[in-house]
Amino acid sequence: MKHHWDDWLDRESGLFQFSENLQRGTHNFADLEEIPKTLTKLTVTSETKNWERLSQFALMEELTLHGPTDPQFQLLETLPWLKRLRISFFSPTNLKPLRGLHVLEELVLEYVSKFEDLSVLAGLPSLRAVHLENLRRVHDFSVLSGSAIRTLTIIGTMDWEQPIDNLDFLAEMPRLERFRSWCSRIGGEAPVLAGLSKSKVSYFSLREN
């Protein structure tokens, strides 16, 4: 399994209940046919056998798709009960399979590329905690305006800066309380903090930008 050891989730917010990154292997099983359907946390990779049985795990609240195949990603449409979702090392052309995740509370996208539009996230009514890491083709985050997100992290890496057109959208996120960004390249001519006085943001952090 390709590893992602670091855990950069905003744990201090108290909104992320997701398992630590180091624990994702603990929830990874070679064959879903050989495990009880009562499990609440699972990790699925391209090597997972009988992954089609995911829709039978009605008690599952937390799912990690680690280097999944496209059919595995599409299966998210059949898992409306998910509360926590992590997708790592994958290149979908869009995020449409997430549209029906109406009780999803936490979303982590790590090293995900090819898609450019995040507007699906604004339509998830229960989404409160979002971590976006190395989204190679995304630069316009204004589509998150009006979303229910309370804590948002957007980061790149030391060798690649995550582009962000501007931060104006933060003032249009009525429930946002915390925002963090580092290793990013922020554009726009207006001052970075313009408009934030009208928002509910109580924690704001920019590092190595």
Side-chain angles (χ1 to χ4, degrees), residues 95-113:
L95 298 179
K96 290 181 180 179
L98 277 62
R99 289 179 298 184
L101 303 182
H102 296 304
V103 299
L104 190 70
E105 298 177 353
E106 304 172 28
L107 176 66
V108 180
L109 301 179
E110 302 164 328
Y111 292 82
V112 182
S113 59

Side-chain angles (χ1 to χ4, degrees), residues 17-35:
Q17 303 302 312
F18 226 116
S19 300
E20 294 279 349
N21 263 332
L22 286 174
Q23 297 177 7
R24 70 173 69 196
T26 305
H27 310 303
N28 182 31
F29 301 91
D31 191 338
L32 296 192
E33 190 172 18
E34 300 176 352
I35 59 176

Side-chain angles (χ1 to χ4, degrees), residues 141-168:
F141 293 87
S142 64
V143 293
L144 299 180
S145 299
S147 69
I149 298 171
R150 293 170 56 189
T151 180
L152 173 64
T153 298
I154 304 175
I155 65 175
T157 57
M158 295 299 293
D159 61 345
W160 184 80
E161 296 177 330
Q162 173 68 55
I164 303 175
D165 285 350
N166 58 66
L167 297 178
D168 296 346

Side-chain angles (χ1 to χ4, degrees), residues 42-192:
L42 282 174
T43 293
V44 170
T45 76
S46 60
E47 304 298 321
T48 304
K49 296 180 180 179
N50 291 302
W51 56 267
E52 299 91 343
R53 294 177 176 268
L54 266 178
S55 58
Q56 299 177 13
F57 289 77
L59 299 180
M60 179 176 55
E61 297 183 348
E62 178 177 308
L63 174 65
T64 292
L65 294 180
H66 188 95
T69 63
D70 188 65
Q72 290 173 338
F73 176 64
Q74 298 296 328
L75 194 66
L76 290 174
E77 296 179 332
T78 68
L79 309 175
W81 51 81
L82 276 183
K83 291 185 177 181
R84 299 183 293 278
L85 173 64
R86 176 194 281 124
I87 303 174
S88 303
F89 303 105
F90 183 52
S91 300
T93 56
N94 60 68
L95 298 179
K96 290 181 180 179
L98 277 62
R99 289 179 298 184
L101 303 182
H102 296 304
V103 299
L104 190 70
E105 298 177 353
E106 304 172 28
L107 176 66
V108 180
L109 301 179
E110 302 164 328
Y111 292 82
V112 182
S113 59
K114 281 196 176 179
F115 74 94
E116 300 178 4
D117 184 8
L118 286 170
S119 59
V120 170
L121 306 191
L124 302 180
S126 301
L127 193 60
R128 63 185 187 182
V130 175
H131 177 94
L132 305 175
E133 184 173 337
N134 272 52
L135 305 188
R136 292 287 175 161
R137 296 195 179 184
V138 178
H139 55 86
D140 179 11
F141 293 87
S142 64
V143 293
L144 299 180
S145 299
S147 69
I149 298 171
R150 293 170 56 189
T151 180
L152 173 64
T153 298
I154 304 175
I155 65 175
T157 57
M158 295 299 293
D159 61 345
W160 184 80
E161 296 177 330
Q162 173 68 55
I164 303 175
D165 285 350
N166 58 66
L167 297 178
D168 296 346
F169 68 95
L170 297 179
E172 304 300 325
M173 298 179 69
R175 300 185 184 181
L176 188 67
E177 301 169 2
R178 298 172 61 89
F179 176 76
R180 307 182 308 158
S181 179
W182 62 88
C183 294
S184 59
R185 185 175 66 256
I186 301 171
E189 298 180 359
V192 168

